[in-house]
Amino acid sequence: MAKNVQYPRSPRRPLDGEVIIKRPGKPTLKARQGNISDGGLFLHLEDHDLQKGRRVDVIIVRENGTVRDMQRMTGIVIRIDPNGVALVTYKSGELKRQLGGQDNEAVASSGGQSETS
C-alpha cells in the first residue's frame, strides 16, 4: 500500500510572465503556464527532453519584460509528470552553499570549524 507523502511547501503563485530554461547544447525551452513558490516552480511543458536530476539555468522574465524584471537562477528537475515539470530552484550562491554544506557538516561533526561559522 502506497503512503501519501506530504512535503512542506510555501504558498504557490501563478506565473506572471515567461520562464526560459537554458541547457548547454540543447534547445531553449519556454513556459508561460505553471506556478512558482519560494523554493521552486512547476511548469506546464508539453514537449521537452528534460530528465529528473538535471541541472538547468532558469530565467524568469516578469510580464513587463524589462531587464530589471529578469531573475536568473539554477534549477534541478525533481519531478516529471504528464502535466509538466517540477524544479527546485536556487540562486547560484545558495546552491554553492547547499553543495558545500555537505562538506562543512562533515568538518563540524569531526570537531572542526565550518567555513560558515
Side-chain angles (χ1 to χ4, degrees):
M1 187 182 279
K3 288 184 179 180
N4 251 352
V5 178
Q6 296 291 323
Y7 296 101
R9 294 184 175 164
S10 57
R12 295 173 182 268
R13 311 174 292 286
L15 290 177
D16 108 13
E18 183 174 54
V19 177
I20 300 167
I21 304 292
K22 296 187 114 349
R23 306 154 302 151
K26 300 274 189 170
T28 297
L29 300 171
K30 295 180 182 181
R32 293 192 67 78
Q33 294 183 333
N35 60 60
I36 188 167
S37 68
D38 290 338
L41 48 104
F42 181 85
L43 303 174
H44 292 280
L45 290 171
E46 291 180 17
D47 295 320
H48 65 83
D49 60 350
L50 292 170
Q51 298 173 350
K52 190 174 176 181
R54 290 288 175 180
R55 190 180 306 182
V56 297
D57 288 326
V58 177
I59 302 167
I60 300 173
V61 182
R62 301 279 179 229
E63 195 59 48
N64 68 7
T66 67
V67 173
R68 284 188 316 152
D69 292 324
M70 290 177 69
Q71 188 175 16
R72 181 180 284 266
M73 59 191 71
T74 298
I76 299 173
V77 177
I78 59 170
R79 188 179 84 242
I80 297 173
D81 67 34
N83 296 317
V85 177
L87 300 114
V88 63
T89 55
Y90 304 89
K91 301 245 179 175
S92 60
E94 292 172 9
L95 182 59
K96 287 178 186 173
R97 279 194 297 275
Q98 290 286 333
L99 295 174
Q102 297 167 354
D103 296 332
N104 292 338
E105 288 173 13
V107 170
S109 67
S110 67
Q113 290 284 332
S114 72
E115 292 177 17
T116 57
S117 44

